[in-house]
Amino acid sequence: MAAERALLDVQDLRVSFGEGPRARPALDGVSFSVRPGKTLAIVGESGCGKSLTALSIMRLLPTPPARITGGRILFDRGDGPALDLASADRRTMRRLRGKDIAMIFQEPMTALDPVYPIGDQIGEVLVEHEGLSRKDALARAVELLRLVGVPSPEERARQYPHEFSGGMRQRAVIAIALACEPALLIADEPTTALDVTVQAQVLRLMRDIQQRFASSILFITHDMGVVGQMADEVVVMYLGQVVEEGPVSAVLSRPAHPYSQGLIASIPTLDMPRDRVLQPISGMVPPIGSITTGCRFRTRCPHAMEICRRDPPKVTTPAGNSASCWLVEEST
Amino acid sequence: MRDDGSRALLLSVRGLAKRFPVHRGLFRRRAGEVHALNGVDLDIAPGETLGLVGESGSGKTTAGRAILRLLEPSEGLAFFRSRTVAQAGGPETVDLFQAPPSQLRLLRRDMQIVFQDPYSSLNPRLRIGTNVAEPLRAAGMSRPSRREMVAQLLDDVGLASSLMERFPHELSGGQRQRVAIARALALQPQFIVADEAVSALDVSIQAQVLNLFLELQRARGLAYLFVAHNLAVVRYVSHRIAVMYLGRIVELADTDALFAQPRHPYTEALIDSVPGAEGARAVVQGEPPNPIRPPSGCPFHPRCRYAQPVCATERPPLRQITPASAAACHFAETLDLQGV
């Protein structure tokens, strides 16, 4: 990991809601990097900041009330020094979005404009960023629809979003995202709204596409099964911070942080023994900004100690996970 | 009312159908019907959980609501062994779909529902205590005994009785779902339909609520119809599972049997689709068809990788394949389908 240059390197990212003394930190020093051609998953429950992280990278935060208050988001365009998206101007971001970085949202219907044919919506990106003529853009749109597995693409390109099923709409959204062959694809719960058989199709499609275009994917999800299937590396977030990160196989089979352990122990799986009782994490996620020092998980942690009031160190286990936890520090 | 194994049943449904009219055009002309449910048979014993799984449009939610008569069924019979009706001098088993309004009011005490979104099922302008007490008030319980009962119910679902004075918006999603469960329990029902009751909750909270359902079942002998799209969740809580596709049950089996040896290709496809570290084993083609225009023959045949010519012309009935499994597939005995 050391020698290779990261495509995206997020360093100590801070985002707050509100201003002055009433500002509440929603992202509190988030760091991770996405390597070229790899998939990094961010996993966590509602309010952990995973979607906020994606919106920060795209600079699509609802401002106000949210704003970036610190840190860097370094994006490597391959030529010269990496660009800091956290401080890039609007014009730079507009040129980047859809071309170098594309995003796929959970609900395809909100990402599509109901009054334009699908083909025009895919073509628009190509006219905007690649300077293609309308005619060439439409021809390329048909090719893209074929690529993402939409049957009879010539005909489908002329149809409107309401004429597409949920799975086909998400394929169309993926076609738009792929139009300019972006280096980074950010997918925020792209299959959560889909039926399970259709989810399997879309996940397979995303895998195929990644191999074909060698693109990097930042995959945001709450589903550990999806993490296991899609990602090379995983970042576990809790209350605006990264609590653990590492190779997927290590984090899923030997989670080091008590929150990751709790998360995995609370998910029923198809192969767990029938008589095993789920071990939920006690209590619930506290409101954003209510715990601002020490380990944020200590109020729910079964192993909480006095020292947990102090900010925990980041410790790397022999398996290769890095966890921010005093207990892990003690045992390694 | 007994099943073949001579268990006394709590609920027995036969031939349940629900059709919705389809309207088209400027004058909303009636253009046909959607068969949301077609010939559904199911039995539930006291203290038992029957899981109901399927994708959108499978009819699983409609089934739960039609059984409780929150939707009027179009056809079918449903017999329910109601404690309350019997105590009031009525028959031992009641035909739910023929029950007159007076009997239906009594039946409501025995059959309750918990919805996916507790926020929309609780009255936002009433305090939590009043929300939970509502069924008790309707049943004619006095105010002081209601208060005592509500405190007990909140305790039963793991909530502090101090929450009584709060409003629904002040609670978290998991707490609101516990409140909805407390309200469903207020009149000591025998049977609860849980309609995607944990689907909207974060996984750590989902596990808490699933365990609560199991504890309440042990303590009170409740029977559940547990409707959900998440196969692992249904497996965790159910004794038996019915798999629905396009308004019909395509497989009905004991939980262990269903996952060890599925007997319907659609069940296998569902198991195959669950994401996991090994990746999906096989990906089924296509999407669930529009129920307005169901395919001929077996409803799953256009997507089935084992389909034969007969599957497009003849619809296989649900039939017993082994003592533990029933499936609606022409080739249920000969296909070697993969379980977990």
Side-chain angles (χ1 to χ4, degrees), chain A residues 16-24 63-65 67:
Chain A
S16 280
F17 280 107
E19 302 243 7
R22 298 191 55 191
R24 289 167 304 139
T63 308
R67 64 197 173 84

Side-chain angles (χ1 to χ4, degrees), chain A residues 45-46 165 167-168 195-197 199 201 225 229 263 266 268-270 272 274 276-278 280-281 283-284 300, chain B residues 55-56 172 175 202-204 207-208 211 232 235-236 238 255-256 259 270 273 275-277 283-287 303:
Chain A
E45 300 179 279
S46 347
S165 66
M168 285 300 153
D195 273 323
V196 57
T197 56
Q199 164 171 283
Q201 296 166 7
Q229 182 168 337
L263 205 55
S266 39
T269 59
L270 285 188
M272 70 189 249
R274 279 290 306 289
R276 209 190 86 197
V277 178
L278 295 176
I281 301 168
M284 54 193 167
R300 302 174 71 194
Chain B
E55 298 181 281
S56 18
S172 70
Q175 287 176 321
D202 270 323
V203 289
S204 69
Q208 294 174 3
N211 285 348
R235 176 178 180 267
Y236 183 63
S238 305
T255 300
D256 287 324
F259 290 100
L270 279 181
S273 301
V283 175
V284 63
Q285 300 301 307
E287 296 186 37
R303 304 176 70 195

Side-chain angles (χ1 to χ4, degrees), chain B residues 307-320:
Chain B
Q308 299 291 323
V310 63
C311 304
T313 53
E314 275 176 50
R315 185 176 60 76
L318 185 70
R319 60 203 168 84
Q320 209 67 34

Side-chain angles (χ1 to χ4, degrees), chain A:
Chain A
M1 199 165 176
E4 197 179 13
R5 206 167 151 182
L7 176 71
L8 181 78
D9 193 12
V10 176
Q11 299 176 348
D12 198 31
L13 179 63
R14 290 168 193 277
V15 168
S16 280
F17 280 107
E19 302 243 7
R22 298 191 55 191
R24 289 167 304 139
L27 291 185
D28 201 356
V30 169
S31 303
F32 61 85
S33 52
V34 184
R35 293 186 289 154
K38 299 288 180 189
T39 298
L40 177 99
I42 303 184
V43 67
E45 300 179 279
S46 347
C48 72
K50 56 190 192 297
S51 290
L52 221 50
T53 303
L55 292 175
S56 305
I57 297 165
M58 292 294 277
R59 290 285 301 281
L60 291 172
L61 283 176
T63 308
R67 64 197 173 84
I68 296 176
T69 54
R72 301 200 296 171
I73 304 170
L74 300 178
F75 181 68
D76 181 7
R77 282 182 299 180
D79 49 348
L83 179 70
D84 183 5
L85 304 184
S87 58
D89 59 35
R90 283 171 166 233
R91 215 169 121 247
T92 310
M93 284 312 298
R94 231 184 354 256
R95 272 208 309 265
L96 220 66
R97 271 187 227 121
K99 181 164 167 55
D100 299 292
I101 307 178
M103 189 153 176
I104 303 168
F105 293 93
Q106 173 172 345
E107 187 35 74
M109 205 54 193
T110 55
L112 295 169
D113 191 326
V115 300
Y116 291 101
I118 295 283
D120 289 11
Q121 301 193 43
I122 303 171
E124 188 192 335
V125 191
L126 294 159
V127 173
E128 170 85 19
H129 289 298
E130 310 279 343
L132 260 59
S133 70
R134 287 260 155 226
K135 187 162 163 267
D136 290 349
L138 197 60
R140 178 88 183 109
V142 170
E143 278 319 300
L144 284 160
L145 283 176
R146 194 189 315 278
L147 177 79
V148 296
V150 172
S152 24
E154 291 88 355
E155 196 182 317
R156 288 299 218 160
R158 286 192 294 271
Q159 290 184 342
Y160 291 85
H162 75 267
E163 297 175 86
F164 277 50
S165 66
M168 285 300 153
R169 264 179 221 146
Q170 198 58 297
R171 286 174 194 266
V173 169
I174 293 173
I176 294 175
L178 290 177
C180 301
E181 300 184 17
L184 177 66
L185 202 56
I186 300 178
D188 188 359
E189 304 267 10
T191 58
T192 305
L194 302 177
D195 273 323
V196 57
T197 56
V198 181
Q199 164 171 283
Q201 296 166 7
V202 172
L203 291 179
R204 174 164 287 190
L205 170 69
M206 292 186 68
R207 258 295 202 226
D208 290 349
I209 276 167
Q210 180 174 36
Q211 271 157 19
R212 183 164 170 158
F213 292 103
S215 43
S216 301
I217 301 180
L218 179 63
F219 204 110
I220 293 170
T221 180
H222 68 282
D223 187 329
M224 284 291 181
V226 171
V227 172
Q229 182 168 337
M230 298 298 289
D232 302 295
E233 275 151 12
V234 60
V235 164
V236 183
M237 286 185 70
Y238 184 77
L239 219 58
Q241 293 189 324
V242 173
V243 296
E244 181 162 359
E245 62 183 309
V248 164
S249 52
V251 175
L252 292 192
S253 60
R254 278 185 298 280
H257 195 282
Y259 177 65
S260 319
Q261 292 168 354
L263 205 55
I264 289 168
S266 39
I267 302 168
T269 59
L270 285 188
D271 52 6
M272 70 189 249
R274 279 290 306 289
D275 54 1
R276 209 190 86 197
V277 178
L278 295 176
Q279 302 295 324
I281 301 168
S282 66
M284 54 193 167
V285 179
I288 290 168
S290 62
I291 307 175
T292 52
T293 55
C295 173
R296 312 302 196 255
F297 186 59
R298 66 178 187 273
T299 56
R300 302 174 71 194
C301 182
H303 314 292
M305 305 174 285
E306 195 48 41
I307 198 173
C308 301
R309 294 180 177 281
R310 286 166 50 193
D311 281 342
K314 188 166 154 181
V315 191
T316 303
T317 69
N321 333 7
S322 295
S324 298
C325 177
W326 286 106
L327 194 73
V328 180
E329 159 91 351
E330 265 180 18
S331 61
T332 44

Side-chain angles (χ1 to χ4, degrees), chain B residues 234-275:
Chain B
V234 171
R235 176 178 180 267
Y236 183 63
V237 296
S238 305
H239 300 100
R240 289 184 303 134
I241 295 175
V243 180
M244 293 195 68
Y245 192 76
L246 222 61
R248 297 180 190 275
I249 293 177
V250 295
E251 180 160 358
L252 178 58
D254 291 353
T255 300
D256 287 324
L258 188 91
F259 290 100
Q261 169 78 79
R263 295 289 177 176
H264 195 283
Y266 179 61
T267 310
E268 184 190 50
L270 279 181
I271 294 172
D272 280 347
S273 301
V274 173

Side-chain angles (χ1 to χ4, degrees), chain B residues 57 67 83 89 103 114 138 169 172 184 194 205 223 243 265 276 282 288 290 292 316 325 336:
Chain B
I67 289 167
R83 200 157 49 199
Q103 223 172 45
V114 177
H169 74 265
S172 70
I205 308 299
V243 180
N290 188 338
I292 296 177
S325 302
D336 184 23

Side-chain angles (χ1 to χ4, degrees), chain B residues 77-252:
Chain B
L77 293 168
F79 293 101
F80 184 77
R81 191 185 298 273
S82 166
R83 200 157 49 199
T84 311
V85 171
Q87 276 164 4
E92 197 186 322
T93 57
V94 184
D95 182 348
L96 291 179
F97 299 161
Q98 301 297 325
S102 60
Q103 223 172 45
L104 207 53
R105 260 197 305 282
L106 293 173
L107 280 164
R108 290 271 174 255
R109 299 185 181 195
D110 294 329
M111 312 188 304
Q112 290 288 327
I113 185 164
V114 177
F115 295 102
Q116 171 168 357
D117 178 12
Y119 205 51
S120 60
S121 62
L122 297 175
N123 186 332
R125 297 168 61 169
L126 297 183
R127 290 178 199 280
I128 295 303
T130 319
N131 260 301
V132 176
E134 188 58 26
L136 298 170
R137 192 186 59 78
M141 190 185 266
S142 74
R143 187 183 288 265
S145 23
R146 279 196 321 248
R147 215 181 151 71
E148 199 175 310
M149 182 81 174
V150 168
Q152 180 61 49
L153 285 164
L154 291 179
D155 187 58
D156 287 351
V157 298
L159 292 174
S161 54
S162 59
L163 289 181
M164 252 194 265
E165 304 304 324
R166 304 277 191 86
F167 287 93
H169 74 265
E170 299 178 88
L171 270 53
S172 70
Q175 287 176 321
R176 281 198 291 262
Q177 196 57 297
R178 286 175 191 268
V179 171
I181 294 169
R183 190 177 56 179
L185 292 174
L187 296 173
Q188 303 186 344
Q190 300 161 270
F191 174 55
I192 292 181
V193 173
D195 186 3
E196 297 278 13
V198 300
S199 308
L201 304 174
D202 270 323
V203 289
S204 69
I205 308 299
Q206 171 178 292
Q208 294 174 3
V209 176
L210 285 174
N211 285 348
L212 175 63
F213 272 110
L214 293 177
E215 284 158 26
L216 291 170
Q217 180 166 57
R218 272 194 294 276
R220 295 171 174 246
L222 284 164
Y224 298 130
L225 180 66
F226 203 95
V227 179
H229 69 279
N230 184 321
L231 221 49
V233 163
V234 171
R235 176 178 180 267
Y236 183 63
V237 296
S238 305
H239 300 100
R240 289 184 303 134
I241 295 175
V243 180
M244 293 195 68
Y245 192 76
L246 222 61
R248 297 180 190 275
I249 293 177
V250 295
E251 180 160 358
L252 178 58

